[in-house]
Amino acid sequence: TAVSTSKINLTWTDNSTNETGFQLFRSNSLAGPYLPIGTVGANITSYGDSVGLSGGIKYWYKIRSLNVNGESALVSNYDAAWNFNNNFNDESGNNRTLNGLNLPAFSNTNVNEGTHAVSLNGVNQAVNVPNSSLDGFPANNYTTRTVGLWVKPFSASLGGNNKLLVDFGGSANGIAIRFQGTALQAAIASNSTRRTLSVSNITGNATWVAGGWNHIGLVYNVNALTLYLNGVSVGTTTLTTSSVFSTTDASRIGASS
């Protein structure tokens, strides 16, 4: 979270049990290089970055845990990164270009990051995510996946059913996030075994930014599904399945069905 043009506050979840500390890295490019900026002690889950920052620059961060045996691996790969800077290009370098359905518009006046944001009407406008001919992404098989996106609803109050944010895969195998009435819901399907995680009255949540942009994150890890709102866990559920299988179903961002 940027608190000024010269300081960014970082927070994270401590999933390790034997760390002696955490090391943080920063880059002004998604592809890197990532350079070390600081280290904190065990069980610390926040850091204020105020070294060499410049206003108007986007920064990316990585973190790894440390202990007496060494350090954990850094996340070094992204399946896709769509910034919607007046185009549907994939900025991860994986060339996963999107295409619009029913003429979604780009806005340069209501933006959280970059130069533009994509604007959807919540009814029939969407962005199609073609399944890759190389690896099937995003409808491939996997045991872990993280999906993150910035969202700003047009209305201060949510309403209506099945307002899809993302739908990667389908009802038999896939992962999705939607607004259902006033609730924020995440769902996962594995061989038609489905599980839904629902957070009721999401705009009343203490971490919701009324009238502004909110970051929604969904983390799937083998047999657990966790929803994050602006970096804070707002719900988690345990799964009876341990993988999502590949499918030929279509994937998309947005629309209602």
Side-chain angles (χ1 to χ4, degrees):
T1 302
V3 295
S4 71
T5 57
S6 59
K7 186 174 183 180
I8 297 175
N9 287 338
L10 307 171
T11 60
W12 59 90
T13 300
D14 181 358
N15 290 320
S16 54
T17 58
N18 62 346
E19 83 276 359
T20 59
F22 294 95
Q23 186 177 22
L24 295 103
F25 298 78
R26 186 184 74 203
S27 174
N28 59 7
S29 167
L30 175 65
Y34 287 80
L35 302 178
I37 58 169
T39 303
V40 298
N43 302 317
I44 303 298
T45 57
S46 63
Y47 180 83
D49 179 17
S50 58
V51 178
L53 298 175
S54 300
I57 303 297
K58 182 186 292 187
Y59 294 98
W60 283 261
Y61 292 88
K62 292 185 179 184
I63 186 172
R64 67 182 177 188
S65 60
L66 310 171
N67 66 18
V68 294
N69 297 311
E71 62 277 330
S72 63
L74 288 170
V75 175
S76 58
N77 66 300
Y78 294 83
D79 285 310
W82 301 299
N83 290 340
F84 298 117
N85 284 329
N86 207 31
N87 59 58
F88 293 122
N89 297 341
D90 172 20
E91 297 189 30
S92 73
N94 291 324
N95 298 316
R96 305 188 194 278
T97 304
L98 310 178
N99 58 78
L101 175 66
N102 293 320
L103 302 176
F106 291 102
S107 170
N108 63 358
T109 59
N110 199 348
V111 179
N112 183 65
E113 292 182 345
T115 62
H116 290 73
V118 67
S119 179
L120 307 173
N121 62 12
V123 181
N124 64 346
Q125 288 181 335
V127 179
N128 292 319
V129 185
N131 293 336
S132 169
S133 60
L134 297 177
D135 59 10
F137 175 87
N140 54 326
N141 62 292
Y142 50 91
T143 58
T144 61
R145 177 155 291 175
T146 298
V147 179
L149 67 158
W150 288 99
V151 177
K152 183 180 181 182
F154 289 125
S155 173
S157 60
L158 299 176
N161 294 324
N162 205 28
K163 301 298 183 180
L164 287 170
L165 300 177
V166 296
D167 185 8
F168 292 163
S171 59
N173 286 285
I175 195 168
I177 309 171
R178 70 178 182 179
F179 290 123
Q180 178 72 358
T182 60
L184 175 65
Q185 293 185 339
I188 193 165
S190 174
N191 258 354
S192 297
T193 298
R194 304 179 187 91
R195 182 78 170 178
T196 299
L197 172 60
S198 185
V199 182
S200 61
N201 189 28
I202 191 63
T203 59
N205 191 281
T207 58
W208 179 267
V209 179
W213 288 90
N214 289 270
H215 188 269
I216 297 171
L218 179 61
V219 177
Y220 163 58
N221 186 21
V222 186
N223 58 5
L225 194 66
T226 304
L227 258 175
Y228 291 86
L229 177 62
N230 296 319
V232 178
S233 174
V234 291
T236 189
T237 187
T238 301
L239 310 174
T240 59
T241 56
S242 59
S243 65
V244 175
F245 298 93
S246 61
T247 178
T248 57
D249 291 337
S251 299
R252 62 183 174 174
I253 298 169
S256 177
S257 62

